[in-house]
Amino acid sequence: MRIGFIRVICYSVTFPPEADPPSADAILTITFMIFDILTIFPNAFDSYLNESLVKRALKNKIISVRAHNLRDFLRGKKERVDDRPFGGGPGMALKIEPIFRAVQLLNSKFEIRNSKLKQRIILFSTRGKKLDAKVAKRLSKYDRLILICGRYEGVDERVAQHVADEEISIGDYVLSGGELPALVLMETVSRFLPGFLGKYESLEEVKGSYPVYTRPEVFQANGKWQMANGNKRKTRWAVPKVLLSGNHKDISEWRRRI
């Protein structure tokens, strides 16, 4: 566990002429974990990053998140981020060139002080390894994760074969792009970083998962509750008595049984 020190990472990178100049965070970052996200919709992350635990983690330098627009890595106005797939088929696929350039740029000209940067390049794919707590905990040991977000009909397979270290899926379903999986992975991994939750015991992987109740002790509404099947019943829903007993041994046993 990386507690008791801070890591200073200095960036010295050259951005394409079309890209915005690097922010202060790009020059000097004091953080436990860096997330660099490659996407064609960088603004899709703004709202989520400005709320709740993630916002606090960014403020406290527990994590650093930067969304890079793949269009900034095109050469000339005629170059595109996508093209028709060879062999035919519907839709478009993201091209390898802007992704390769972005990763190459992020990997270049780093000055790492006091520690050697450990990073992992991840491509989101329906064919990837399922994201679970074990995978998230493994990824939390890295210093930086580069997250490649696909779009349209996917990403040129050469990205998976030669650029990415691994492919990850967040479930057996299809989304329009990798932006939501990137947010899911980012928070899942961040929960294992010291200070993100406030208390390590807050992790469900540590305390377990069980039903929780809060006040009032008895909830009773006017009228009857109509259930999904159309039936109606009275509403008088009470908290289990064991949770009101004050007996922590009995409460712990109840939570283990549930």
Side-chain angles (χ1 to χ4, degrees):
M1 186 176 296
R2 297 170 292 180
I3 299 179
F5 66 91
I6 57 176
R7 186 166 56 251
V8 179
I9 301 175
C10 294
Y11 293 78
S12 177
V13 295
T14 303
F15 281 70
E18 299 88 350
D20 293 332
S23 64
D25 282 345
I27 305 302
L28 179 62
T29 301
I30 304 175
T31 182
F32 277 107
M33 171 70 78
I34 301 167
F35 295 93
D36 278 310
I37 305 171
L38 305 183
T39 173
I40 61 172
F41 295 115
N43 295 334
F45 300 91
D46 292 348
S47 176
Y48 193 80
L49 295 179
N50 280 288
E51 300 292 343
S52 191
L53 294 175
V54 175
K55 180 180 180 180
R56 186 180 69 183
L58 288 166
K59 180 180 179 180
N60 294 337
K61 304 297 183 183
I62 296 170
I63 62 173
S64 174
V65 183
R66 297 178 302 173
H68 305 272
N69 191 338
L70 284 172
R71 293 186 175 91
D72 290 335
F73 298 91
L74 299 178
R75 290 178 176 171
K77 295 182 178 180
K78 292 185 178 181
E79 190 174 14
R80 299 168 54 94
V81 294
D82 60 344
D83 209 332
R84 296 186 299 274
F86 287 118
M92 308 286 274
L94 288 184
K95 299 174 66 176
I96 185 173
E97 291 99 332
I99 295 173
F100 178 83
R101 290 178 199 138
V103 172
Q104 187 179 47
L105 181 63
L106 289 171
N107 285 339
S108 68
K109 300 181 181 179
F110 274 87
E111 289 181 25
I112 309 304
R113 299 180 180 178
N114 302 326
S115 66
K116 185 177 180 181
L117 182 71
K118 286 179 58 181
Q119 75 168 17
R120 195 81 170 156
I121 302 172
I122 295 169
L123 171 66
F124 294 106
S125 166
T126 55
R127 300 187 301 274
K129 181 179 179 63
K130 292 288 176 56
L131 176 63
D132 57 18
K134 184 177 180 180
V135 172
K137 189 172 184 179
R138 169 174 62 83
L139 294 176
S140 72
K141 306 301 182 183
Y142 289 89
D143 301 291
R144 182 176 72 169
L145 298 178
I146 297 178
L147 310 179
I148 303 173
C149 302
R151 270 280 158 178
Y152 310 125
E153 295 302 311
V155 178
D156 188 304
E157 185 63 17
R158 287 168 290 190
V159 173
Q161 293 173 339
H162 305 293
V163 178
D165 294 311
E166 64 180 298
E167 296 178 82
I168 284 182
S169 167
I170 64 169
D172 293 326
Y173 47 86
V174 179
L175 297 170
S176 298
E179 287 75 20
L180 286 176
L183 286 171
V184 170
L185 182 141
M186 183 187 67
E187 178 160 336
T188 307
V189 170
S190 296
R191 288 171 62 85
F192 286 98
L193 300 177
F196 183 85
L197 291 176
K199 291 184 178 180
Y200 181 70
E201 293 77 11
S202 297
L203 277 171
E204 284 198 13
E205 293 82 2
V206 175
K207 68 181 179 62
S209 180
Y210 46 77
V212 294
Y213 296 83
T214 186
R215 294 169 179 76
E217 294 179 16
V218 177
F219 173 76
Q220 189 164 357
N222 295 327
K224 293 185 177 182
W225 174 255
Q226 183 167 331
M227 302 170 64
N229 59 12
N231 295 335
K232 294 182 179 181
R233 66 179 183 182
K234 292 182 178 180
T235 57
R236 191 182 188 282
W237 304 329
V239 175
K241 291 182 179 180
V242 65
L243 298 179
L244 307 175
S245 67
N247 188 319
H248 296 292
K249 182 178 179 181
D250 288 350
I251 292 171
S252 296
E253 180 61 29
W254 178 85
R255 286 173 171 171
R256 280 195 295 268
R257 292 199 312 265
I258 293 299

